Structure formats: C-alpha cells, structure tokens
Amino acid sequence: MDEQQSTINRELTSGGFLFYHAKDAKMAEEEREKIAYLEARLDYSSPDKVLQVYEKAVQERIFTTPVGIFYLKNLQNFLLEQPEIDKNAISPIPLFHTYDRELREKQQPARNRLIVPAPKKKRRMIFPLSIILNVLLMIAIIAMFTITLESDNPNVLNYERALTDRYASWEQELTEREQAVRQRERELQIEEE
C-alpha cells in the first residue's frame, strides 16, 4: 500500500508541491519546463532583460501554479535587489485565487449544496401514471380510427369506398331512369301506331 501511495504522490507532486489533481501537477511540470528553458537563456547580468521577461510573464499569465508563482517571486526578489531597477516598475504578482474561506464558498455554492435524490414515492408514482396515460391515449386513437372508418362522410381512410358507393348509386339511378324513359317511349310508340 505504501508503494502505491508513493506512486500516487509522485504523480501529484511537482516542484516540491503536492497537488490535489494530476492535471494540476501536469500543469506545474509544464511550468517547470518553461522555467528551465528561461533559466538556460536568461542573462542575470542584465537586470533590464530580466525585468522584461518578468513583466511579460506577469502580463501574459504564463505561470499560474505555485511552482510558476514561486519562480516569479524569485525573479521579483532578484529585481528588487538591483539598484538600477526602479522598484515601482516591478509589477506585483497577480494571484487569481481567493484564500478567504467564506468568500470562496460564496463564489462556489455548488460545493455546499448536497445532491439529494428524489423521494422514492414520487419515482414510484411516475411509472404507473405513465402507463395509465399511454393506455388512455391508445384507446383514444383506436376510437378515432373506428369513428373515421364508420363515418358516412368521405375521408382519407374510406374515400374510395364512399366514392364507389356514390357512383354505384348514381349509376343505378341513371339505369332506372333510362329504363323508365324507354318504357315510356314504348308506350308512346304503341299509342302512336
């Protein structure tokens, strides 16, 4: 267990700081690489150039983890010791975190809020209610189709049957009238002859 704990601590440690998340430790490691790069190229014999690098790092927020902030503090201390550098020209190191517990809790109320699951009684009521509503909707749909199919008015579902019935009745009516006319003609021809 101690070996596993030391592996975890190595993953969370960077620059002598133990971080809460591995992502933060990785950011600190990246900042350590930036620091190594700067240190290899930084000429401490020219405090003006050190001041330029410091100011650029502060303005562009290059360093945000404690590792980087610690490095900026070391640069700031170096610059404050230099007599040729104006102390007012050295920007303070911005910290974008709050350390006041009350203020931090006000800014992040989600941490204080407990997530409480919904009462089980309400969950149990939702399922039967859903089933009842689905059954009622199915009954309503079936009733609508039944009414539509049984209706005498033509609609999308029975228009062919309604039109066929209507034309059949017209045809039957026309046939009856035609027979009546022919019969009448026959009677008239008999009387004329």
Side-chain angles (χ1 to χ4, degrees):
M1 191 70 164
D2 291 331
E3 193 174 306
Q4 184 181 14
Q5 185 66 30
S6 66
T7 304
I8 291 172
N9 283 346
R10 271 186 260 129
E11 291 174 2
L12 299 176
T13 304
S14 178
F17 293 97
L18 179 62
F19 292 91
Y20 188 70
H21 294 287
K23 192 175 183 181
D24 292 335
K26 184 179 178 188
M27 284 176 56
E29 274 303 310
E30 291 170 358
E31 287 187 7
R32 282 186 55 180
E33 292 171 7
K34 291 176 188 176
I35 292 168
Y37 178 81
L38 284 175
E39 284 295 310
R41 287 160 180 71
L42 197 58
D43 182 15
Y44 283 97
S45 63
S46 176
D48 288 333
K49 290 185 180 178
V50 174
L51 179 61
Q52 288 175 352
V53 169
Y54 171 82
E55 288 297 324
K56 184 167 179 132
V58 167
Q59 288 173 1
E60 295 185 11
R61 297 160 90 178
I62 293 174
F63 298 110
T64 57
T65 67
V67 173
I69 300 297
F70 187 72
Y71 176 69
L72 285 177
K73 184 60 181 164
N74 287 339
L75 284 180
Q76 186 185 58
N77 288 340
F78 171 78
L79 292 169
L80 290 171
E81 294 172 358
Q82 304 305 310
E84 63 266 19
I85 300 292
D86 180 21
K87 309 306 181 227
N88 295 328
I90 302 171
S91 298
I93 300 168
L95 297 177
F96 298 102
H97 301 283
T98 183
Y99 297 100
D100 180 21
R101 177 170 286 180
E102 288 179 27
L103 185 60
R104 194 173 40 212
E105 288 174 358
K106 286 180 185 175
Q107 290 177 348
Q108 299 173 353
R111 287 186 180 191
N112 299 333
R113 204 172 3 150
L114 293 175
I115 298 174
V116 180
K120 293 190 177 194
K121 290 181 180 179
K122 288 184 180 178
R123 285 186 182 173
R124 289 181 187 158
M125 288 300 296
I126 291 173
F127 186 68
L129 182 63
S130 173
I131 291 175
I132 291 169
L133 287 175
N134 285 333
V135 168
L136 289 174
L137 287 173
M138 287 300 294
I139 291 170
I141 291 172
I142 291 170
M144 287 178 2
F145 274 109
T146 305
I147 291 170
T148 304
L149 287 173
E150 298 299 320
S151 172
D152 292 334
N153 296 333
N155 56 45
V156 174
L157 300 175
N158 67 355
Y159 75 93
E160 184 178 0
R161 184 182 53 147
L163 290 177
T164 305
D165 290 349
R166 185 177 294 164
Y167 288 131
S169 69
W170 288 349
E171 184 178 352
Q172 184 178 2
E173 189 178 317
L174 285 174
T175 306
E176 289 173 2
R177 284 185 180 179
E178 187 178 324
Q179 287 176 356
V181 168
R182 286 188 183 164
Q183 185 179 2
R184 188 83 169 146
E185 284 178 354
R186 280 188 221 138
E187 288 174 5
L188 290 175
Q189 284 178 359
I190 296 176
E191 291 177 7
E192 288 179 12
E193 290 179 10

